[in-house]
Amino acid sequence: MRIGLLATLRDESHALPRFLSLLEALEADSRVERLFCSFYENDSSDNTPESLAAWLSDRPGVLQSERLGAPRLRGREISRTMLMAEARNKALAGFAGERLDWLVVIDADLHASPRHIWQLIEVLQQDRGVAM
């Protein structure tokens, strides 16, 4: 199975060890033929972009990192939703030409395991009318 994993990140160095362990466990799963990650990061003040670049250095995937000088927005502001959509679209563009069976969009702050991802895929396989 070819899985694409999309994440947008900013100042996530505290969460990266757990997040990258999740990705390593997923790529080690015998059901995974290829795990291709597309990360979009902007305006981090910690070592998030360097850590992601180092992790991706010998793996299939892309990291787009930008300095926009954008303010950090919180909550459910419309401007935050619009900026998040732009960031996800930039990360999505990283899959151009990549053949995938599944695309997983995930937040690096989530506490997840490969089992959770397989459970979501199983639900989607059982009922094509389901959307997540």
Side-chain angles (χ1 to χ4, degrees):
M1 190 174 302
R2 300 171 65 88
I3 297 177
L5 188 127
L6 180 154
T8 60
L9 305 102
R10 183 175 186 180
D11 292 326
E12 297 285 0
S13 63
H14 66 282
L16 285 180
R18 183 183 61 249
F19 178 64
L20 297 177
S21 290
L22 164 66
L23 302 185
E24 289 165 8
L26 191 59
E27 72 183 353
D29 191 297
S30 62
R31 294 170 283 190
V32 177
E33 174 188 337
R34 179 173 170 89
L35 176 66
F36 186 96
C37 297
S38 181
F39 302 133
Y40 174 79
E41 175 282 331
N42 71 288
D43 292 324
S44 288
S45 59
D46 62 10
N47 68 342
T48 295
E50 294 83 5
S51 296
L52 292 171
W55 189 83
L56 275 174
S57 67
D58 61 348
R59 290 178 167 89
V62 296
L63 166 62
Q64 299 173 69
S65 182
E66 296 184 302
R67 285 270 175 227
L68 304 175
R72 187 167 193 97
L73 302 174
R74 301 200 184 276
R76 295 189 174 124
E77 299 172 34
I78 299 239
S79 57
R80 180 178 185 270
T81 301
M82 292 172 64
L83 289 172
M84 290 297 297
E86 284 180 36
R88 286 188 189 105
N89 285 339
K90 288 178 181 181
L92 190 57
F95 295 106
E98 189 68 27
R99 189 177 57 83
L100 302 172
D101 298 307
W102 297 101
L103 175 63
V104 176
V105 180
I106 192 166
D107 189 318
D109 286 337
L110 289 178
H111 290 256
S113 73
R115 178 178 53 85
H116 296 125
I117 293 170
W118 294 119
Q119 287 172 333
L120 293 171
I121 289 173
E122 184 179 322
V123 168
L124 290 167
Q125 287 176 324
Q126 289 175 356
D127 185 350
R128 294 292 182 175
V130 172
M132 294 185 201

